[in-house]
Amino acid sequence: MKGMIKDFILNSIAAGVLCHRRLRMSIYRLYGAEIPTDCEIKPRCYLGLGKGHLKVGGGTFVNYKCWFDLGADVVIGDKCNIAMNVTFMNSDHDMADSERRAGMYHPKPIIVGDGCWIGANSLIIPGVTIGNGVVIAAGSVVTKDCESDCLYGGVPAKKIKKL
């Protein structure tokens, strides 16, 4: 029951379009997120109910409909721009037998450095670290760590060029 109430408050009330920005940030902080006052998270973002926490750096902007799995921590640096529909999926499972293919659960943190820009509809998978100043092209699937000051894109994302 406690989880249902937390889910309702975080993902219905705080994520609602009628919830004022300051109230949204206060609710997120109440439930353990570290979000400075100069950060903005738009409505319709989903915060998972796992054991991880969301930590967002100063001056960061998170657009509509982003998904934070929170099986483990998601850390986003200062002055980042996260476009709409970006998914931070930081939990995975082992492949099991045919009776139930999703086996043992393995959450891993995701770290995004300062000054990054992550394009719309991108997916960041468990355990990835994105260096400072990285640009992730829209629609990319980031499966490996990203070197600072580079452009990455594709499925899976590959380094396109040094910036």
Side-chain angles (χ1 to χ4, degrees), residues 10-20 24 28 43-44:
L10 285 173
N11 298 311
S12 292
I13 295 173
V17 295
L18 297 178
C19 184
H20 190 277
R24 178 178 307 107
Y28 290 162
R44 299 290 181 231

Side-chain angles (χ1 to χ4, degrees), residues 105-163:
Y105 174 74
H106 297 287
K108 297 176 188 166
I110 293 172
I111 300 168
V112 177
D114 296 337
C116 292
W117 176 19
I118 300 178
N121 299 307
S122 292
L123 169 63
I124 316 300
I125 70 151
V128 166
T129 297
I130 298 173
N132 295 331
V134 169
V135 176
I136 304 293
S140 296
V141 177
V142 182
T143 61
K144 296 180 181 169
D145 292 353
C146 298
E147 176 187 338
S148 292
D149 297 313
C150 291
L151 169 64
Y152 286 81
V155 179
K158 294 183 175 20
K159 183 165 81 169
I160 296 171
K161 68 177 180 177
K162 186 88 171 146
L163 300 174

Side-chain angles (χ1 to χ4, degrees), residues 5-114:
I5 293 169
K6 179 180 178 182
D7 186 44
F8 177 75
I9 291 170
L10 285 173
N11 298 311
S12 292
I13 295 173
V17 295
L18 297 178
C19 184
H20 190 277
R21 177 188 163 280
R22 284 186 296 211
L23 178 58
R24 178 178 307 107
M25 298 302 113
S26 295
I27 291 171
Y28 290 162
R29 285 185 202 103
L30 178 68
Y31 281 98
E34 295 179 43
I35 305 171
T37 56
D38 64 343
C39 173
E40 183 170 4
I41 298 177
K42 290 291 193 179
R44 299 290 181 231
C45 289
Y46 176 85
L47 274 63
L49 302 178
K51 295 182 180 184
H53 292 91
L54 176 62
K55 181 178 181 183
V56 181
T60 288
F61 174 81
V62 178
N63 213 332
Y64 293 88
K65 297 183 180 178
C66 290
W67 182 286
F68 300 92
D69 178 24
L70 298 181
D73 291 349
V74 174
V75 179
I76 300 173
D78 296 334
K79 298 179 182 174
C80 291
N81 284 73
I82 311 299
M84 73 276 295
N85 295 319
V86 173
T87 300
F88 295 87
M89 181 182 70
N90 59 353
S91 57
D92 195 3
H93 296 268
D94 287 336
M95 184 83 69
D97 61 30
S98 62
E99 185 177 325
R100 185 181 194 121
R101 288 289 179 203
M104 182 67 84
Y105 174 74
H106 297 287
K108 297 176 188 166
I110 293 172
I111 300 168
V112 177
D114 296 337

